[in-house]
Amino acid sequence: MSVLKSLALLLTLASAAATATASDFFVDGLRGTDWPDYGRSASQPWKTIQYAAQHLPVPMPTQSHTLFIAGGQTYGAATNGEAFPLPALYNIQYLGTGPRPIMDVPSGTVGMWFPGTVEFTGWTKVAHLEFRNGGLKLGAGNGVRFHRPVIDDCVFDRCGVLVETPLTQSVNAPVVQSCAFRGAGAGIFLHTREHGTDFSVDATVTDCVFEDIPGDAVRLRQSDPRGTTYLMVSLNECRFTRCFVGVELSMDVGTTGPTNRFGAQLRNCAF
């Protein structure tokens, strides 16, 4: 085999290894210790998710790290000293284990914040967690970025998912699947609120349950966008039980965007 062919083979193998390689990290609010050398095994976990987020290495673009969060317990200021909001990170998967870990978020506080200045691809995932009082917020941001985090098998108790429009040439397109929303303040809220251009909010919601919500379970609102906007939600096989309003679409006076697209698609949903 020629030197060039050997070099090409080595580069191919290295590229494949980089794509496949990912690291696992661990948090346990009852047994963990917030120390730099901890967190890399289930026998020596970190204590708080906040500390873990500050010490996780940045993954390669083609891989993701997984932070396993021990279940059967509550994470909060009064239990393990957890601080909120938790930061969503590039290509990091937050995965609860066992019975869903409960995030005891103080009222009026966001449970997890997705800053608009960070790109979140499908490698970013939040799964098998329960949020109480404070849910997830996907923030607005500038630049050509595509935000498509996956939110899977989570419970939102008296809280929900807020998706704000990016400002310019950006897309907020979360995938929410197999989640339950319940109680006052729960649900999904998609909001274009800034004067930007060429931005899009396009959420996909599948196999979710909305129950006992005295307000809007899913709400889309346009607040005077003056550019090219796209605000859509696709609801697939969702169930709405004892909700005051299942899906509401509202547009403020003065929404003068030249090519606005605004609406909801419902497939096999039950009210």
Side-chain angles (χ1 to χ4, degrees), residues 94-96 101 125-129 150-154:
Y94 290 87
L95 178 61
K125 188 173 185 179
V126 180
H128 198 62
L129 300 176
V150 176
I151 304 164
D152 181 32
D153 190 33
C154 289

Side-chain angles (χ1 to χ4, degrees), residues 18 58-65 90-91:
V58 178
M60 299 291 290
T62 54
Q63 64 180 224
S64 64
H65 299 325
Y90 172 80
N91 283 15

Side-chain angles (χ1 to χ4, degrees), residues 3-268:
V3 174
L4 289 178
K5 287 184 177 179
S6 299
L7 180 59
L9 177 59
L10 288 173
L11 290 174
T12 301
L13 292 174
S15 176
T19 301
T21 301
S23 299
D24 294 337
F25 299 88
F26 302 85
V27 168
D28 189 322
L30 296 177
R31 302 185 301 107
T33 301
D34 283 341
W35 187 256
D37 293 337
Y38 278 59
R40 293 183 176 272
S41 70
S43 61
Q44 289 187 318
W46 284 312
K47 185 177 184 65
T48 63
I49 304 168
Q50 192 73 240
Y51 184 90
Q54 297 170 9
H55 291 80
L56 290 171
V58 178
M60 299 291 290
T62 54
Q63 64 180 224
S64 64
H65 299 325
T66 301
L67 180 64
F68 291 98
I69 303 170
Q73 58 184 290
T74 298
Y75 292 77
T79 53
N80 70 320
E82 195 65 71
F84 296 95
L86 303 174
L89 299 173
Y90 172 80
N91 283 15
I92 298 295
Q93 300 189 51
Y94 290 87
L95 178 61
T97 62
R100 284 188 190 88
I102 297 171
M103 305 295 113
D104 186 17
V105 185
S107 297
T109 303
V110 174
M112 182 175 287
W113 164 242
F114 292 75
T117 55
V118 177
E119 185 170 10
F120 297 103
T121 67
W123 293 94
T124 304
K125 188 173 185 179
V126 180
H128 198 62
L129 300 176
E130 179 172 342
F131 291 86
R132 294 183 179 176
N133 303 312
L136 309 185
K137 181 177 181 180
L138 278 67
N142 281 316
V144 183
R145 295 185 180 276
F146 189 77
H147 309 280
R148 196 173 178 83
V150 176
I151 304 164
D152 181 32
D153 190 33
C154 289
V155 172
F156 296 90
D157 187 356
R158 303 181 303 279
C159 60
V161 177
L162 169 62
V163 183
E164 294 184 329
T165 181
L167 299 182
T168 303
Q169 295 181 326
S170 296
V171 178
N172 262 346
V175 175
V176 184
Q177 58 194 26
S178 303
C179 292
F181 299 83
R182 63 195 184 202
I188 297 175
F189 184 26
L190 311 178
H191 187 196
T192 59
R193 64 178 181 85
E194 299 288 349
H195 300 166
T197 58
D198 300 322
F199 53 68
S200 172
V201 175
D202 186 12
T204 301
V205 183
T206 302
D207 191 31
C208 289
V209 176
F210 302 84
E211 57 186 6
D212 298 320
I213 299 175
D216 305 329
V218 178
R219 184 182 183 193
L220 286 73
R221 180 185 176 191
Q222 282 194 339
S223 298
D224 195 21
R226 299 178 184 176
T228 302
T229 66
Y230 184 97
L231 175 59
M232 295 289 294
V233 63
S234 177
L235 296 163
N236 308 294
E237 300 183 355
C238 293
R239 187 172 76 251
F240 298 82
T241 304
R242 297 181 300 279
C243 299
F244 183 71
V245 175
V247 182
E248 178 183 338
L249 286 74
S250 63
M251 183 178 292
D252 292 0
V253 175
T255 50
T256 57
T259 55
N260 289 340
R261 186 174 180 185
F262 179 46
Q265 296 179 334
L266 283 70
R267 299 182 179 91
N268 300 324

